[in-house]
């Protein structure tokens, strides 16, 4: 499945659309093509502030448009610079609930010139759905996205 999506990601990033449009299309592609991806979004560092700001996303609207560094899974990744896979969100103390249906989350940081400038965030309504293949694929997505930022 992921191998089939790689050329589609490349065709989006290589297109003549705006960066915002490309990110939106990536979110929509991942949400529609990967059954356990129920919400897909990008968060970006908000200027010089120690917070993340919601960018393009696909899925239910969220109230979490600004996330302070250190808060929730996304905020922790902003500080750790490492992937964070949460098989069961209920087991996490520092979790910001976006929806009662969310069971698991994966967040992969996005680096430009070795600086963590944001992340891709995936919520799943399926318990423990994420594998190493998800991590590797999302690292690929972020690597391609970094080229257009």
């Amino acid at each position: 499945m992921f191998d089939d999506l790689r050329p589609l990601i490349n065709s989006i990033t290589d297109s003549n659309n705006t960066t915002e449009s490309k990110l939106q299309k990536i979110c929509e592609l991942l949400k529609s093509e990967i059954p356990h991806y129920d919400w897909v979004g990008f968060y970006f560092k908000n200027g010089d502030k120690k917070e993340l700001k919601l960018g393009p996303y696909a899925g239910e609207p969220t109230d979490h448009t600004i996330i302070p560094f250190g808060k929730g899974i996304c905020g922790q990744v902003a500080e750790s610079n490492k992937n964070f896979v949460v098989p069961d969100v209920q087991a996490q103390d520092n979790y910001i609930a976006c929806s009662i249906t969310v069971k698991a989350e994966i967040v992969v940081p996005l680096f430009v010139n070795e600086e963590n400038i944001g992340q891709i965030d995936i919520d799943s309504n399926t318990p423990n759905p994420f594998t190493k293949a998800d991590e590797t694929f999302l690292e690929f997505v972020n690597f391609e996205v970094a080229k257009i930022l």
Side-chain angles (χ1 to χ4, degrees):
M1 161 178 55
F2 295 125
D3 288 341
D4 296 338
L5 293 175
R6 288 172 189 263
L8 298 175
I9 296 293
N10 289 129
S11 70
I12 292 170
T13 57
D14 293 343
S15 73
N16 291 324
N17 293 315
T18 64
T19 300
E20 187 90 359
S21 174
K22 291 176 185 182
L23 294 174
Q24 185 65 48
K25 288 180 185 309
I26 289 170
C27 292
E28 291 166 2
L29 175 73
L30 298 186
K31 183 179 180 303
S32 69
E33 295 300 317
I34 303 173
H36 58 282
Y37 287 16
D38 295 296
W39 191 93
V40 178
F42 287 97
Y43 281 93
F44 292 100
K45 191 169 179 222
N46 192 7
D48 291 333
K49 299 176 185 168
K50 291 245 179 234
E51 64 184 23
L52 297 164
K53 186 175 184 182
L54 181 62
Y57 70 92
E60 292 295 315
T62 178
D63 292 335
H64 303 116
T65 56
I66 300 288
I67 298 175
F69 281 19
K71 187 147 175 58
I73 308 309
C74 290
Q76 290 176 75
V77 169
E79 291 186 329
S80 73
N81 300 324
K82 292 184 171 45
N83 298 354
F84 198 158
V85 180
V86 182
D88 176 7
V89 296
Q90 298 301 318
Q92 280 296 317
D93 292 340
N94 189 1
Y95 171 69
I96 304 171
C98 292
S99 164
I100 57 166
T101 60
V102 175
K103 304 285 188 251
E105 183 173 11
I106 183 171
V107 179
V108 176
L110 174 56
F111 295 97
V112 174
N113 299 324
E114 298 180 15
E115 182 191 353
N116 182 351
I117 58 109
Q119 53 201 230
I120 190 166
D121 177 22
I122 315 287
D123 289 342
S124 180
N125 299 340
T126 306
N128 194 17
F130 303 115
T131 66
K132 190 66 185 159
D134 290 277
E135 275 191 83
T136 302
F137 175 68
L138 294 171
E139 288 168 354
F140 162 80
V141 169
N142 280 355
F143 182 78
E144 296 303 314
V145 165
K147 294 176 185 176
I148 63 170
L149 297 176

